[in-house]
Amino acid sequence: MSPSPIRPIRTLGPAYLKLHRDTHAKHASFGTHRHPCLHATVRDLALAFAAAERCQPSLLDYGCGKGAFIDEMRALGAFAGIAGHDPAVDHFAARHDRRYDIVTCLD
């Protein structure tokens, strides 16, 4: 088995990570921002990808908070798979060892 071409990188420092973990813990609404203005844009991007590649794209939302945008994108039905990553939220802290067709970062 060949080694993964994906290598871990540090995208934020320990103090910044602690600040976000603490903020997520103290404020239930932090990390739940909705982005309805992006629905049509992201859907159109997914449809254009599907037409060109003849398959639905995968989506990673980096810095997904508590996953509100992921849920909204899942409801569109335009993606083969959707995942989120947010190092400050335990549920989404695990790194994904794969590539994604579309990556959003709405922080």
Side-chain angles (χ1 to χ4, degrees), residues 27-86:
H27 304 283
S29 64
F30 187 75
T32 62
H33 186 77
R34 301 180 64 226
H35 300 278
C37 60
L38 294 177
H39 291 190
T41 301
V42 176
R43 183 190 61 240
D44 291 349
L45 180 62
L47 294 174
F49 179 96
E53 300 296 324
R54 296 197 162 128
C55 65
Q56 285 186 313
S58 57
L59 172 73
L60 172 68
D61 184 19
Y62 184 90
C64 67
K66 294 181 176 91
F69 187 68
I70 293 170
D71 293 340
E72 293 171 348
M73 292 299 97
R74 192 169 283 121
L76 294 177
F79 295 96
I82 299 177
H85 174 71
D86 196 314

